Amino acid sequence: MVRFRDDDLMSNIVDREMDKRTMLTAFFERNRIDETARVYLYKYFPKHFTWNGSTRRWNPRGRKNQRGRIVSANPAEGERYYLRLLLSNVRGPTSFEHLCTVNGQRCETFRKAALELGLIEDDEYLSQCLEEASTFQFPNALRRLFATIMIFCQPGDIRKLWNDQFESLSEDHRLHCQSIERVQNMVLTEISVLLQSMGKNINEFDLPKITDDVNLQDAGYRELQEEYGIVLEPEHLSAKDSLNPDQKNVFDEIMMHVDNDLPGVLFIDGPGGTGKTFLYISLLTEIRSRGLIALATASSGAAANNMPRGRTAHSRFKIPLNLENNSMCNIKKQSGAAKLIRSAKIIIWDEASMAKRQAIEAVDRTFQDIIGVSLPFGGKIMVMGGDFRQVLPVIKRGTRAQIVDSSVRMSPLWSLTKKMRLTINMRALKDPWFSKFLLRVGDGTEEPIEGNYIRIPDDMTIQCNNRENAIKELIHAIFPSIEDNVYSSDYIISRAILSTKNESVDEINNQMIEIFQGEEKVYYSFDEAEDDQRNFYPVEFLNSLNVSGLAPHKLHLKIGCPIILLRNIDPSHSLCNGTRLICKGFMRNVIDAEIAVGQHAGKRVFFAKNPSNPF
């Protein structure tokens, strides 16, 4: 701290320096007098304006562009760091006061302003999330949200969060029960069941103990109760009557194994559109209607959602992420998952061609160990399906030999597997000509032109007269009259635009979001580098990274827009990687969404604002 007396000569020098324009204050002044300058962030300002050191002003730049950067600041520097954070995210500020004003309210510090904008993590945001959700949802939905927060948001003080939100979590039970202890036990019991469905135990968390003798479901039999409690859809019960001859032959073969209790491993091979999923649904419904357990799994969340009570194979069988040639699944012999496997009559694994052979072999070894039978998969009836023309196992930076080696075809189990093939029933397809063309391309029989090129037919292309409006024309062709159907879930999920690059996906998504009506809400992720004590990786650099498989730093949402879940939250209730949802509402710390596809379509769910956006 440096101090000067009022009569000191140095005080005049300090006043004179305070009146000088700096690059930052000149940036504010330029925004006040030039509306076109307000669209640029401070770090991009040198690209469009040039600094004149003599007049100390920003002037419009000519043709040549130039990159600029903001002076680095460490989080330990306090307000200077938060000022830098605001300048990296707020467009067009005209003064320090303007920079500190959020939603019409003046914040006392830069940190408070960054907090109100959601740029930094707030210790109280989880409590605020539950309070916001309680204004338009019932307590049972809040309890599911509370369980999700416990697992995925890593609250620092779960007991305090429980104490603060107990009244909202228990509102329905308190209407029918006067005993606070009994109400607490009922709430904890429901949360315990939800945690079990997500693979966790309530005893792992700092919550009050269940003191009363309540009817808490035994964790060892919960999985069995869930499978026995599946409600069969009427249209699924009649599915077997609509099978084509190929599907009917496969159906009868598998049911012969079920009726005669014959173990076996079967693989259903067929291109897309042959009705493999429809066949799975017929098998699952037929077996479950007899009071037996049939497990439905898939290598991807999207495929699992297409089957009733489908789960990803990694979730159902606890397959380790880092696989070795001798890996085992993380299933204990006395656990509920082990009892469920022993009780299952048949297990269906869709998109098995996408799974690594090490994963399938790990499941095989685990089943033999749990069941105590040395036959493949412990003597279970194992039905796998897939299409080797589609995506094979993904090996990061792998060679062709490594990809082939990881395929299920290279496993010793493949020689013990009975293969059944489905052919395309063209009458069942909406566009048989289109499917025939794709199959010819995939099989390599389509006649090339000019060497190795293939000409795409005119019926499969969209004519574009203006390259600058190409994306708009594409959106208009795929989503005609979207302005009149933005609130129709069926309209939104029945169409999709595919792209080969993430940059193109982001550009299309941004233009799609602009079409939707209503208020836009932006959620920010909180990116940080571990063990970066010297701030080698500034926050804005981490925020600028757009890594494949991770959500962007800024998540733009409007009511009615589709969103896709990027992580497994509760696979037993279709909240898994790849689940498509429709945004139905949002507040500062909570998102209200509706599941759009699968057996839980139409179900409303909550998502708390997460340090890493899950969408």
Side-chain angles (χ1 to χ4, degrees), residues 240-458:
K240 66 178 181 179
D241 299 327
S242 302
L243 299 174
N244 63 35
D246 283 343
Q247 293 170 329
K248 181 64 175 175
N249 291 336
V250 176
F251 179 88
D252 292 340
E253 176 73 17
I254 295 174
M255 290 308 302
M256 184 271 293
H257 281 260
V258 173
D259 294 336
N260 298 306
D261 201 18
L262 296 176
V265 183
L266 306 99
F267 191 94
I268 302 174
D269 181 21
T274 55
K276 295 189 295 295
T277 302
F278 189 79
L279 174 61
Y280 301 149
I281 293 175
S282 303
L283 288 168
L284 292 169
T285 306
E286 176 66 19
I287 295 170
R288 287 169 176 172
S289 65
R290 301 182 182 183
L292 303 174
I293 291 180
L295 300 182
T297 64
S299 298
S300 66
N305 278 336
N306 291 330
M307 295 185 291
R309 283 286 181 172
R311 295 275 294 273
T312 60
H314 277 77
S315 170
R316 174 63 76 187
F317 304 133
K318 314 298 181 187
I319 301 174
L321 295 178
N322 298 319
L323 288 165
E324 303 291 343
N325 288 329
N326 58 352
S327 295
M328 296 281 287
C329 299
N330 188 24
I331 299 178
K332 298 179 180 179
K333 280 192 173 183
Q334 303 302 320
S335 65
K339 295 177 182 178
L340 178 65
I341 291 171
R342 284 193 285 264
S343 302
K345 191 69 175 178
I346 186 174
I347 298 172
I348 296 177
W349 189 337
D350 191 17
E351 301 292 359
S353 56
M354 294 175 57
K356 296 180 180 180
R357 67 171 178 84
Q358 291 87 350
I360 295 176
E361 292 171 357
V363 173
D364 173 44
R365 283 189 290 270
T366 303
F367 279 21
Q368 293 186 37
D369 180 60
I370 289 175
I371 301 172
V373 177
S374 58
L375 294 174
F377 296 98
K380 288 295 175 183
I381 303 174
M382 195 76 178
V383 178
M384 295 184 287
D387 179 13
F388 290 99
R389 303 167 186 82
Q390 297 177 352
V391 181
L392 292 175
V394 178
I395 306 297
K396 190 174 182 179
R397 299 184 182 90
T399 62
R400 175 176 297 196
Q402 291 173 322
I403 295 174
V404 172
D405 179 67
S406 67
S407 173
V408 64
R409 286 178 178 266
M410 303 304 294
S411 173
L413 293 168
W414 185 252
S415 60
L416 305 175
T417 302
K418 182 176 182 179
K419 292 83 175 177
M420 298 180 289
R421 185 177 297 276
L422 295 180
T423 58
I424 287 188
N425 176 20
M426 289 300 174
R427 293 174 299 175
L429 297 175
K430 295 181 180 179
D431 193 345
W433 174 85
F434 172 77
S435 300
K436 285 181 178 178
F437 173 77
L438 292 182
L439 285 176
R440 291 198 303 270
V441 174
D443 293 337
T445 58
E446 178 68 14
E447 184 177 355
I449 60 173
E450 297 180 5
N452 296 324
Y453 292 97
I454 294 176
R455 186 181 185 277
I456 300 177
D458 293 337

Side-chain angles (χ1 to χ4, degrees), residues 196-211:
Q196 289 175 8
S197 69
M198 301 179 193
K200 297 292 183 179
N201 192 301
I202 193 172
N203 295 326
E204 301 175 11
F205 302 94
D206 182 22
L207 287 176
K209 302 299 181 183
I210 301 177
T211 58

Side-chain angles (χ1 to χ4, degrees), residues 464-476:
C464 178
N465 298 323
N466 188 349
R467 188 176 182 85
E468 295 180 356
N469 296 326
I471 293 180
K472 291 183 179 180
E473 293 185 19
L474 175 63
I475 293 175
H476 179 73

Side-chain angles (χ1 to χ4, degrees), residues 585-597:
F586 45 71
M587 300 183 75
R588 180 184 174 187
N589 298 288
V590 67
I591 299 173
D592 180 18
E594 179 183 288
I595 299 177
V597 295

Side-chain angles (χ1 to χ4, degrees), residues 401-547:
Q402 291 173 322
I403 295 174
V404 172
D405 179 67
S406 67
S407 173
V408 64
R409 286 178 178 266
M410 303 304 294
S411 173
L413 293 168
W414 185 252
S415 60
L416 305 175
T417 302
K418 182 176 182 179
K419 292 83 175 177
M420 298 180 289
R421 185 177 297 276
L422 295 180
T423 58
I424 287 188
N425 176 20
M426 289 300 174
R427 293 174 299 175
L429 297 175
K430 295 181 180 179
D431 193 345
W433 174 85
F434 172 77
S435 300
K436 285 181 178 178
F437 173 77
L438 292 182
L439 285 176
R440 291 198 303 270
V441 174
D443 293 337
T445 58
E446 178 68 14
E447 184 177 355
I449 60 173
E450 297 180 5
N452 296 324
Y453 292 97
I454 294 176
R455 186 181 185 277
I456 300 177
D458 293 337
D459 294 343
M460 296 175 58
T461 61
I462 300 172
Q463 299 299 323
C464 178
N465 298 323
N466 188 349
R467 188 176 182 85
E468 295 180 356
N469 296 326
I471 293 180
K472 291 183 179 180
E473 293 185 19
L474 175 63
I475 293 175
H476 179 73
I478 305 301
F479 295 90
S481 305
I482 186 175
E483 294 83 358
D484 301 326
N485 296 277
V486 291
Y487 298 113
S488 173
S489 300
D490 294 336
Y491 174 87
I492 295 298
I493 65 173
S494 62
R495 295 162 169 81
I497 299 175
L498 304 181
S499 178
T500 56
K501 293 184 177 181
N502 290 335
E503 294 82 357
S504 302
V505 172
D506 294 336
E507 187 177 357
I508 295 173
N509 284 340
N510 292 334
Q511 294 198 26
M512 286 287 296
I513 288 290
E514 293 178 359
I515 298 176
F516 285 84
Q517 305 292 326
E519 175 190 0
E520 180 182 270
K521 181 67 176 178
V522 180
Y523 293 94
Y524 298 91
S525 64
F526 307 128
D527 300 321
E528 62 180 10
E530 295 185 0
D531 300 327
D532 184 23
Q533 299 178 357
R534 298 190 177 184
N535 198 34
F536 290 135
Y537 304 99
V539 173
E540 65 270 12
F541 168 72
L542 298 175
N543 293 344
S544 67
L545 299 178
N546 192 7
V547 183

Side-chain angles (χ1 to χ4, degrees), residues 134 139 142-143 161-175 180 183 187:
S134 65
L142 293 180
R143 290 190 282 270
L161 189 64
W162 162 266
N163 294 333
D164 293 343
Q165 300 301 323
F166 176 72
E167 291 188 4
S168 299
L169 295 170
S170 61
E171 183 178 359
D172 52 345
H173 292 314
R174 286 187 286 109
L175 293 176
I180 298 299
V183 169
V187 175

